[in-house]
Amino acid sequence: MSQTQHPRILLGVSGSIAAYKAAELIRRLRERGAEVQVVMTAHAQAFITPLSLQAVAGQPVRCELFDRAAEAGMGHIELARWADHLLIAPASANLIARLAHGMADDLLTTLVLASAAPLAIAPAMNHQMWSHPAVQENINRLLARGVHLLGPESGDQACGESGAGRLLEPQRIVEQLLGSEHRPLAGRRVLVTAGPTREALDPVRFLGNRSSGKMGYAVAQALTAAGAQVMVVSGPTALTPPAVERVIPVETALEMHAAVMEHIDHCDIFVAAAAVADYRPQAPSPEKIKKHHHEFQLRMVRNPDILAEVAARHPAPFTLGFAAETEALEAHAREKLQAKGLDMIAANWVGGAQGGFDRDENALLLLWRGGQRELPLMSKRQAAREIVHTITERYAAFTARQNFGSPPG
């Protein structure tokens, strides 16, 4: 297999109830920095839709051998040449039989014959099917040709029976395919801010916002899964702290600013996911403010701009900011990207149906100089994995510019 930092994996999905695990497998592969393109058999589409896998892969899913648009330029040959590795998971008994006999009656089996890349299969089927002599004969044929067998495992099956034939868990497939040690951000130090800030009016009241911290915590967890050493500076939340190296709790924007500046010097990447108050009361009352008048005037002063200050450092870490907007999403996000000198920004709508504050889902627009990527509405955990995958790609370009002085891109 290619030893490049971003291995290219062509994932084939065949007809098995375990096909639903393909989405998790794609996420796990991409966490490891892999580029993934998906090919589905006709039977696989009965268990999971191409659109579902397209959303997590970030690439169109191919299903038909005779796709007029793709085949105008012999697209299946181009796809076969693109791959560093072919992985079929799940591999059904039917597909294994067709592979063993060298058939090329759909796009996936044709690609296997047209590619010189190594092939790995992860079988998934009923335990009686797996033990059948015909299946075992087909497996032995494939092994004799150098096909790599991943699993299957033994355990409970969808039919209610138990035995060998379960699809190997996605994480174990990835480890056996790519090795258990390589993670794309291994050794990188990352500082993440998360949650809201609270600005005191008096000992009882504060000015705050609707941020729950869910997006920031999910990104921190996904960065850890990618191998990074992660520290989180967190405003007040009701969430369980993420499993990272250290969590520093703060309350106000000034406290968050102080914590970030204390620890930023040795960080490679800074992710500003916190919703930091732009202003704070100039003079919080030392006593509870009583209700005396029909009107109450409050004088506010600007808080430090933590993100802009970090991005302006020399040298600066790779900086990712977030922009929560109620109108002109892309225009405002691009303005913030440029004005603060950021490397990347993740923008999302708030106050509508597209996720955002204090919700479990989010839809995001990722922007950087010279490129962008849209993430449709998905869970924040899934969105975090997609963000970290893009960070990994952009950070590689960032370090190349730092090392060789190449122009921004």
Side-chain angles (χ1 to χ4, degrees), residues 141-177:
R141 281 193 181 193
L142 294 175
L143 291 174
R145 295 180 197 157
V147 173
H148 188 196
L149 183 65
L150 307 179
E153 292 184 319
S154 293
D156 295 336
Q157 299 188 315
C159 60
E161 299 178 358
S162 182
R166 279 174 57 92
L167 180 70
L168 199 64
E169 287 303 312
Q171 182 60 36
R172 293 190 60 195
I173 292 175
V174 173
E175 289 175 357
Q176 291 194 27
L177 192 71

Coordinates of all heavy atoms in Angstrom, one line a residue, residues 141-177:
R141 N -9.5 -19.4 -2.5 CA -9.1 -19.0 -3.8 C -8.5 -17.6 -3.7 O -7.5 -17.2 -4.3 CB -10.2 -19.0 -4.8 CG -10.6 -20.4 -5.3 CD -11.5 -20.2 -6.5 NE -11.9 -21.5 -7.1 CZ -12.5 -21.7 -8.3 NH1 -12.8 -20.6 -9.0 NH2 -12.8 -22.9 -8.7
L142 N -9.3 -16.7 -3.0 CA -8.9 -15.3 -2.9 C -7.6 -15.2 -2.1 O -6.7 -14.4 -2.5 CB -10.0 -14.5 -2.3 CG -11.3 -14.4 -3.2 CD1 -12.4 -13.7 -2.4 CD2 -11.0 -13.7 -4.5
L143 N -7.5 -15.9 -1.1 CA -6.3 -15.9 -0.3 C -5.0 -16.3 -1.1 O -3.9 -15.7 -1.0 CB -6.4 -16.7 1.0 CG -7.4 -16.3 2.1 CD1 -7.5 -17.3 3.2 CD2 -7.0 -14.9 2.6
A144 N -5.2 -17.3 -1.9 CA -4.1 -17.8 -2.8 C -3.7 -16.7 -3.8 O -2.5 -16.7 -4.2 CB -4.6 -19.1 -3.5
R145 N -4.6 -15.8 -4.1 CA -4.2 -14.7 -5.0 C -3.6 -13.5 -4.3 O -3.3 -12.5 -4.9 CB -5.5 -14.2 -5.8 CG -6.0 -15.3 -6.7 CD -7.3 -14.7 -7.4 NE -8.1 -15.8 -8.0 CZ -9.4 -15.7 -8.3 NH1 -10.0 -14.5 -8.0 NH2 -10.0 -16.6 -8.8
G146 N -3.5 -13.6 -3.0 CA -2.9 -12.5 -2.2 C -3.9 -11.5 -1.6 O -3.6 -10.4 -1.1
V147 N -5.2 -11.8 -1.7 CA -6.2 -11.0 -1.1 C -6.1 -11.0 0.4 O -5.9 -12.1 1.0 CB -7.7 -11.4 -1.5 CG1 -8.7 -10.6 -0.8 CG2 -7.8 -11.2 -3.0
H148 N -6.2 -9.9 1.1 CA -6.1 -9.8 2.5 C -7.4 -9.9 3.2 O -8.4 -9.2 2.8 CB -5.5 -8.4 2.9 CG -5.1 -8.2 4.3 ND1 -4.9 -7.0 4.9 CD2 -4.9 -9.1 5.3 CE1 -4.6 -7.2 6.2 NE2 -4.6 -8.5 6.4
L149 N -7.6 -10.9 4.1 CA -8.8 -11.1 4.7 C -8.9 -10.4 6.1 O -8.0 -10.7 6.9 CB -9.0 -12.7 4.9 CG -10.3 -13.1 5.5 CD1 -11.5 -12.8 4.6 CD2 -10.3 -14.6 5.8
L150 N -9.9 -9.6 6.3 CA -10.1 -8.9 7.6 C -11.3 -9.5 8.2 O -12.5 -9.2 7.9 CB -10.3 -7.4 7.3 CG -9.2 -6.7 6.4 CD1 -9.6 -5.2 6.2 CD2 -7.9 -6.8 7.1
G151 N -11.1 -10.3 9.3 CA -12.2 -10.9 10.0 C -12.7 -12.2 9.2 O -11.9 -12.8 8.5
P152 N -13.9 -12.7 9.5 CA -14.9 -12.0 10.3 C -14.8 -12.3 11.8 O -13.9 -13.1 12.2 CB -16.2 -12.6 9.8 CG -15.8 -14.0 9.4 CD -14.4 -13.9 8.8
E153 N -15.6 -11.6 12.6 CA -15.6 -11.9 14.1 C -16.7 -12.9 14.4 O -17.6 -13.1 13.6 CB -15.9 -10.6 14.8 CG -14.7 -9.6 14.8 CD -15.0 -8.4 15.6 OE1 -16.1 -7.9 15.6 OE2 -14.1 -7.9 16.3
S154 N -16.7 -13.4 15.6 CA -17.8 -14.2 16.1 C -18.6 -13.4 17.1 O -18.1 -12.5 17.8 CB -17.2 -15.5 16.8 OG -16.6 -16.3 15.9
G155 N -19.9 -13.7 17.2 CA -20.7 -13.0 18.1 C -22.2 -13.0 17.6 O -22.6 -13.8 16.7
D156 N -23.0 -12.2 18.3 CA -24.4 -12.1 18.0 C -24.6 -11.6 16.6 O -23.9 -10.6 16.2 CB -25.2 -11.3 19.0 CG -25.2 -11.9 20.4 OD1 -25.1 -13.1 20.4 OD2 -25.3 -11.1 21.3
Q157 N -25.6 -12.1 15.8 CA -25.9 -11.6 14.5 C -27.3 -11.1 14.3 O -28.1 -11.3 15.2 CB -25.6 -12.8 13.5 CG -24.2 -13.3 13.6 CD -23.9 -14.3 12.5 OE1 -24.7 -15.2 12.2 NE2 -22.7 -14.2 11.8
A158 N -27.5 -10.3 13.3 CA -28.8 -9.7 13.1 C -29.9 -10.7 13.0 O -31.1 -10.3 13.4 CB -28.7 -8.8 11.8
C159 N -29.7 -11.9 12.6 CA -30.7 -12.9 12.5 C -31.1 -13.5 13.8 O -32.1 -14.3 13.9 CB -30.2 -14.1 11.6 SG -28.7 -14.9 12.2
G160 N -30.4 -13.1 14.9 CA -30.7 -13.6 16.2 C -29.8 -14.8 16.6 O -29.9 -15.2 17.8
E161 N -29.1 -15.3 15.7 CA -28.2 -16.4 16.0 C -26.8 -15.9 16.4 O -26.5 -14.7 16.3 CB -28.1 -17.4 14.8 CG -29.5 -18.0 14.4 CD -29.4 -18.9 13.2 OE1 -28.3 -19.0 12.6 OE2 -30.4 -19.4 12.9
S162 N -25.9 -16.8 16.7 CA -24.5 -16.4 17.1 C -23.5 -17.3 16.5 O -23.8 -18.5 16.3 CB -24.4 -16.4 18.6 OG -23.1 -16.0 19.1
G163 N -22.4 -16.7 16.1 CA -21.3 -17.5 15.5 C -20.4 -16.6 14.7 O -20.5 -15.4 14.6
A164 N -19.5 -17.2 13.9 CA -18.6 -16.5 13.1 C -19.3 -15.9 11.9 O -20.1 -16.6 11.3 CB -17.4 -17.4 12.6
G165 N -19.0 -14.7 11.5 CA -19.6 -14.1 10.3 C -19.9 -12.6 10.5 O -20.2 -12.0 9.5
R166 N -19.7 -12.1 11.7 CA -19.9 -10.7 12.0 C -18.8 -9.9 11.3 O -17.6 -10.2 11.3 CB -19.9 -10.4 13.5 CG -21.1 -10.7 14.2 CD -20.9 -10.5 15.7 NE -20.4 -9.1 16.0 CZ -21.2 -8.1 16.3 NH1 -22.5 -8.3 16.4 NH2 -20.7 -6.9 16.6
L167 N -19.2 -8.7 10.8 CA -18.3 -7.8 10.2 C -17.3 -7.3 11.3 O -17.7 -7.0 12.4 CB -19.0 -6.6 9.6 CG -18.1 -5.5 9.0 CD1 -17.5 -6.0 7.7 CD2 -18.9 -4.2 8.7
L168 N -16.0 -7.4 11.0 CA -15.0 -6.8 11.9 C -15.4 -5.3 12.2 O -15.8 -4.6 11.3 CB -13.7 -6.9 11.3 CG -12.4 -6.8 12.1 CD1 -12.3 -7.9 13.1 CD2 -11.2 -6.7 11.3
E169 N -15.3 -4.9 13.4 CA -15.6 -3.6 13.8 C -14.8 -2.5 13.0 O -13.6 -2.8 12.7 CB -15.4 -3.3 15.3 CG -16.5 -4.0 16.2 CD -17.9 -3.6 15.8 OE1 -18.2 -2.4 15.6 OE2 -18.8 -4.5 15.6
P170 N -15.4 -1.4 12.6 CA -14.7 -0.4 11.7 C -13.3 0.0 12.2 O -12.4 0.1 11.5 CB -15.7 0.8 11.7 CG -17.0 0.1 11.8 CD -16.8 -1.0 12.8
Q171 N -13.2 0.2 13.6 CA -11.9 0.6 14.1 C -10.8 -0.4 13.8 O -9.7 -0.1 13.5 CB -12.0 1.0 15.6 CG -10.7 1.5 16.2 CD -10.2 2.7 15.5 OE1 -11.0 3.6 15.1 NE2 -8.9 2.9 15.4
R172 N -11.2 -1.7 14.0 CA -10.3 -2.8 13.8 C -9.9 -3.0 12.3 O -8.8 -3.3 11.9 CB -10.8 -4.1 14.4 CG -10.9 -4.1 15.9 CD -11.2 -5.5 16.4 NE -10.2 -6.4 16.1 CZ -10.3 -7.7 16.2 NH1 -11.5 -8.3 16.6 NH2 -9.3 -8.6 15.9
I173 N -10.9 -2.7 11.4 CA -10.6 -2.7 10.0 C -9.6 -1.7 9.6 O -8.6 -2.0 8.9 CB -11.9 -2.5 9.2 CG1 -12.9 -3.7 9.3 CG2 -11.6 -2.3 7.7 CD1 -14.2 -3.5 8.7
V174 N -9.8 -0.5 10.2 CA -8.9 0.6 9.9 C -7.5 0.3 10.4 O -6.5 0.5 9.7 CB -9.4 1.9 10.5 CG1 -8.3 3.0 10.3 CG2 -10.7 2.3 9.8
E175 N -7.4 -0.3 11.6 CA -6.1 -0.6 12.2 C -5.4 -1.7 11.4 O -4.2 -1.6 11.2 CB -6.3 -1.0 13.7 CG -6.6 0.1 14.6 CD -6.9 -0.4 16.0 OE1 -6.9 -1.6 16.2 OE2 -7.2 0.5 16.9
Q176 N -6.1 -2.7 10.9 CA -5.5 -3.7 10.2 C -5.1 -3.2 8.8 O -4.1 -3.7 8.2 CB -6.4 -4.9 10.1 CG -6.6 -5.7 11.4 CD -7.2 -7.0 11.2 OE1 -7.1 -7.7 10.2 NE2 -7.9 -7.5 12.3
L177 N -5.8 -2.3 8.3 CA -5.6 -1.8 6.9 C -4.4 -0.8 6.9 O -3.5 -0.8 6.1 CB -6.8 -1.1 6.3 CG -6.8 -0.8 4.8 CD1 -6.8 -2.1 4.0 CD2 -7.9 0.1 4.5

